[in-house]
Amino acid sequence: MSVVAPDGAIAPDRAGGNHWQQAAETMPVELLRDTQMERLRATLRNAADNVPFYRHRLDEAGLAPDDVTCHSDFGSLPFTTKGDLRDHYPFGMFAVPRERMVRVHASSGTTGNPTTVGYTAGDIDLWADLIARTLAAGGMKPGDMLQNAYGYGLFTGGLGLHYGCERLGATILPISGGNTDRQLKLMRDFGVTALSCTPSYALHLAEAARDRGLRPADLPIRVGFHGAEPWTNEMRRQIEDGLGVDALDIYGLSEMGGPGVAFECRCKGGMHVNEDHYLVEIVDPESLQPVPAGTVGELVFTTLSRVAQPLIRYRTRDLCSLGAEPCDCGRTFARMSKPVGRTDDMLIIRGVNVFPSQIEEVLMTIPQIEPHYQILVDRKGHLDMVEVWIEVGEDVFGETMGQLEKFERSVQARLYSVLSIQVQVKLKEPRTIARSEGKAVRVIDKRPK
């Protein structure tokens, strides 16, 4: 059984069934809260001593690290944003000198400077443990093989899943993204039992397998770990039906070190946040005040164990809810819902807040629609317009023009009932919407900036 070491580290539990570190993952809530406060104060001391940005912020707030003695004190701590990280690019938010750094990752930086992420050897070791927890929760164990179709490189996903799989003692197939024919060949030839990739690429693999005459029973995989982009439970059903797997959600972000922040177990009742290493909050994105349990708000994280780059109350911009109800798997960590959108991805259309996930939720409930779509936003005169392009099967396109128009109107009506605004629906022939081997491009906003 796992034990808590004198320094607070948790020894791996290799006999915990669907738990990698059972003592930590099923820790009594009172002990978990005490552990969080102890680690939080250590994080604050590290940040105040070694990151000038945080030293200044804490001084402004009139706080010293040891002033935080309980969870009720936590709300007085300052927030951190992505803008703060970009303002201190590349290494201004690091708490250790270069000689202690063993790895640097970075975001794509498509909207300015990338956000850089630094790791000590201990940070990498912890990351591997958190991914091992993720994989074990999906039933993986030594003897399984994970086909890792996440990209390797500056993106944190590929290497994170790689190290976690090795830490679990399972076999990694580091295939990265793309080359779908090869993906399917090696999956079958090697007897791969688990898959990690974006949910949109999992759908693409399922479609490609079907095109090649393969049934789900012909594929050896039994579990998929999917994240890096929003996806709905209806998309989960499509993946599970197409590949014959349990499709599990995983959550992470580069600023927190990558995947391994939260994960679903096979109960599929929300993602367990690794609360012994991340302190999680949900706040109102406008007032920044806490919201009641179960209420959708902005997800905020504080690192509790990272040494190279401590982050305090980092605003993720992801919108979700948080619950603390017991899970049948025995884990005591809080569970976060699937993100329903982002505060910075939210589309404001004629004064109405619209999230792409709302549109997807509707589309995926309509059997005639393929799991590929795009949302185009444009402005005509002074009015914002939305078009939703959807792929439908060959059987639908074989219908008369009148039937097609009737189908379009029915989809528009269902979207209106959810969004409360009119959108135009355009039917597209099969395979005419571009596929993605990484994150799917769902929204194209052509409005003048």
Side-chain angles (χ1 to χ4, degrees), residues 90-106:
F91 303 140
M93 299 292 281
F94 291 0
V96 298
R98 182 74 63 86
E99 54 266 27
R100 290 192 60 192
M101 302 289 294
V102 300
R103 175 90 62 81
V104 174
H105 282 280

Side-chain angles (χ1 to χ4, degrees), residues 100-378:
R100 290 192 60 192
M101 302 289 294
V102 300
R103 175 90 62 81
V104 174
H105 282 280
S107 70
S108 61
T110 55
T111 56
N113 282 333
T115 55
T116 47
V117 190
Y119 306 78
T120 64
D123 293 334
I124 293 291
D125 196 56
L126 170 64
W127 192 16
D129 272 343
L130 297 183
I131 299 295
R133 288 184 184 182
T134 298
L135 301 177
M140 279 193 66
K141 57 188 182 300
D144 280 313
M145 179 180 288
L146 176 69
Q147 183 162 327
N148 188 15
Y150 280 115
Y152 283 68
L154 288 178
F155 171 64
T156 55
L159 284 166
L161 270 295
H162 185 114
Y163 278 79
C165 182
E166 291 182 341
R167 177 60 54 86
L168 184 66
T171 305
I172 188 75
L173 177 60
I175 195 167
S176 195
N179 201 335
T180 299
D181 282 329
R182 190 173 184 227
Q183 298 265 2
L184 292 172
K185 174 177 172 55
L186 295 188
M187 182 185 293
R188 300 180 72 205
D189 291 351
F190 291 6
V192 169
T193 53
L195 171 70
S196 54
C197 64
T198 61
S200 56
Y201 192 59
L203 283 172
H204 181 55
L205 283 171
E207 181 182 67
R210 186 170 63 248
D211 290 346
R212 289 155 180 77
L214 298 174
R215 302 164 301 165
D218 297 324
L219 304 176
I221 55 173
R222 66 171 189 270
V223 62
F225 301 93
H226 309 298
E229 63 187 15
W231 57 304
T232 62
N233 282 319
E234 283 301 321
M235 187 178 284
R236 184 207 302 273
R237 182 184 61 79
Q238 298 257 5
I239 294 170
E240 292 185 338
D241 290 348
L243 293 175
V245 298
D246 274 325
L248 302 180
D249 208 347
I250 62 176
Y251 179 86
L253 58 164
S254 61
E255 295 85 354
M256 289 293 111
V261 176
F263 58 89
E264 275 189 318
C265 66
R266 290 191 288 182
C267 297
K268 302 176 187 175
M271 287 177 279
H272 297 274
V273 178
N274 282 310
E275 285 195 280
D276 52 338
H277 297 291
Y278 299 99
L279 203 156
V280 60
E281 307 170 79
I282 301 286
V283 302
D284 182 285
E286 299 297 329
S287 69
L288 300 183
Q289 295 302 306
V291 301
T295 303
V296 171
E298 183 177 345
L299 191 62
V300 175
F301 283 112
T302 298
T303 63
L304 297 178
S305 306
R306 285 176 64 200
V307 174
Q309 194 172 5
L311 289 180
I312 300 168
R313 303 191 83 188
Y314 181 75
R315 296 183 59 184
T316 68
R317 300 293 185 180
D318 284 328
L319 294 168
C320 68
S321 61
L322 202 65
E325 301 82 6
C327 182
D328 289 343
C329 73
R331 290 176 177 82
T332 52
F333 297 152
R335 281 175 285 167
M336 57 176 278
S337 69
K338 283 179 174 291
V340 299
R342 288 177 55 81
T343 59
D344 51 1
D345 283 350
M346 181 178 68
L347 300 170
I348 302 177
I349 309 296
R350 302 193 288 278
V352 177
N353 296 342
V354 176
F355 295 100
S357 59
Q358 293 175 294
I359 294 174
E360 180 179 294
E361 195 78 54
V362 172
L363 299 181
M364 293 299 101
T365 63
I366 303 173
Q368 299 93 325
I369 295 176
E370 299 293 320
H372 305 287
Y373 68 93
Q374 279 189 327
I375 303 165
L376 280 78
V377 186
D378 208 344

